[in-house]
């Protein structure tokens, strides 16, 4: 259910902002949380993103991290900085990972709430509070667009 | 026995099954929507709603609904694809397709094409559709692997297959209730409302003969889909399998 909602939210984002995800076409990015039983594939194909929990598909990029690091990342913490601090493990192309993270950082989806289904509300809330401290101040939609443009996912209307 | 298949709990000659299934749906066509609401307590609407929500279909897409019957999914897909997309409502049975056409025209749903076809031989070119769906239809198809293979063929790379079908619940109490309901209440309601006990007996039996969640998932993967996952609905009474052609 959560993956279906995230999928809808992501694709709504792509349509609403006319984001061209061709640079991600044909790529599957696998996100797994080391401390929670959560693992999700983002399959980017046919101009859209499918979010699935099926483990049979081979991913191009494999990202492993803890749930608190995931929330920091989603709330704007820099991927390369987290990599440098060894808080995140990436097998595969980091640029592809960055492209997907850019999208996840903007999507209208309450990750904290989704995680709370697994951790219990209180823990997730605490994790979320910590994450908020790290939320970068330049996380506005305008700067997100700039960031996206930097990472090849260019809004179609700017073409 | 060779060259036999099941028709509900009976073994019948493989070549006879399609005709027998046709008689069932010829018989239930004009009461199908009413019976669906009554027998599922309206839950089929929620199951279909979930199917549409998870489909990832967007404006401009081409969608094929197999065994689409009275057109519930086709109608919802038509709203999603808009003027720039296209939906094909298909069914092997002329009476069911006729009800579908009537429903969609009465509701003023534009842009839907109606095609009488068997899911085992889909008369469209390879790589045509963004999404292919089949709701409560696969269990009636004689050669299910052939049908899944055909759905794979007509999907574009990256296209999405949706199979909504009755499945197996692993909740013991629910299973007991469901068995009692299917074999005692359903045929009786069929008799009272549609004057057709036999068809509803077949529908209940065919559900039990349908592959369980894991078996069907493997069939989807065997057909070539790069990924398949399923979601149990109503405790597994129904499951939605979603395959992606990657
Ligand atoms: C239970 S109804 C489902 C109708 C509709 N999809 C729904 O969910 O309300 C099953 C449908 O499968 C159709 N059907 C049976 N065998 C078929 C086949 N080989 N190819 C296509 N449709 C078939 C029947 O004619 C019938 O309309």
């Amino acid at each position: 259910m959560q993956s279906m909602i995230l999928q809808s939210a992501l694709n709504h984002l792509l349509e609403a902002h006319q984001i061209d995800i061709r640079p991600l076409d044909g790529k599957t990015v696998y996100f797994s949380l080391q401390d929670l039983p959560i693992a999700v594939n983002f399959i980017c194909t046919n101009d859209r993103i499918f979010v699935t929990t099926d483990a049979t598909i081979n991913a191009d990029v494999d990202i492993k991290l803890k749930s608190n690091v995931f929330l920091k990342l989603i709330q704007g913490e820099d991927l390369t900085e987290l990599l440098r601090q060894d808080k995140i493990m990436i097998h595969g192309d980091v640029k592809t990972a960055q492209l997907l993270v850019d999208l996840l950082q903007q999507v209208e989806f309450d990750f904290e709430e989704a995680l709370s289904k697994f951790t219990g509300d209180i823990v997730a809330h605490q994790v979320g509070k910590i994450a908020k401290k790290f939320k970068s101040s330049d996380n506005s939609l305008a700067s997100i667009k700039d960031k996206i443009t930097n990472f090849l996912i260019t809004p179609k209307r700017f073409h | 026995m060779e060259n036999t298949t099941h028709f509900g709990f009976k073994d019948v000659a493989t070549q006879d099954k399609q005709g027998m299934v046709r008689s069932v749906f010829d018989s239930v066509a004009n009461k199908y929507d009413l019976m669906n609401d009554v027998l599922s307590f309206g839950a089929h609407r929620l199951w279909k709603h979930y199917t549409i929500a998870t489909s990832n279909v967007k404006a401009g897409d081409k969608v094929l609904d197999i065994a689409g019957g009275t057109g519930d999914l086709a109608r919802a897909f038509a709203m999603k694809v808009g003027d720039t997309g296209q939906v094909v409502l298909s069914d092997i049975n002329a009476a069911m397709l006729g009800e579908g056409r009537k429903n969609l025209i009465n509701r003023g749903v534009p842009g839907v094409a109606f095609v009488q076809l068997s899911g085992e031989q889909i008369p469209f070119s390879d790589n045509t559709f963004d999404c292919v769906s089949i709701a409560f239809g696969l269990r009636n198809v004689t050669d299910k692997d052939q049908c899944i293979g055909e759905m794979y063929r007509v999907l574009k790379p990256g296209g999405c297959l949706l199979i909504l079908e009755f499945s197996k619940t692993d909740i013991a109490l629910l299973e007991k209730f469901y068995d009692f309901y299917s074999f005692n209440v359903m045929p009786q309601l069929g008799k009272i409302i549609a004057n057709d006990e036999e068809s509803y007996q077949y529908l209940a039996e065919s559900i039990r003969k349908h592959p369980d969640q894991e078996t069907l998932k493997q069939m989807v993967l065997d057909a070539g889909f790069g990924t398949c996952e399923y979601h149990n609905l109503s405790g597994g009474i129904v499951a939605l399998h979603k395959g992606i052609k990657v």
Side-chain angles (χ1 to χ4, degrees), chain B residues 17-18 21-22 24-26 28 32-33 36 44 48 65-73 89-97 116-121 133-143 147 164-166 202-203:
Chain B
K17 174 162 172 170
Q18 197 164 298
V21 170
R22 185 182 314 125
V24 167
F25 287 102
D26 276 344
V28 303
Y32 179 82
D33 284 337
N36 243 1
H44 76 103
K48 287 170 182 164
D65 187 30
I66 308 266
T70 53
D72 285 348
L73 284 188
L89 168 57
S90 72
D91 200 288
I92 200 171
N93 186 297
M96 288 293 283
L97 198 56
Q116 190 175 356
L117 60 81
S118 166
E120 289 163 294
Q121 281 168 318
S133 59
I134 181 164
F136 306 110
L138 191 63
R139 70 177 192 282
N140 301 297
V141 173
T142 310
D143 190 338
C147 178
L164 182 67
E165 190 51 273
F166 289 104
Y202 158 74
L203 291 178

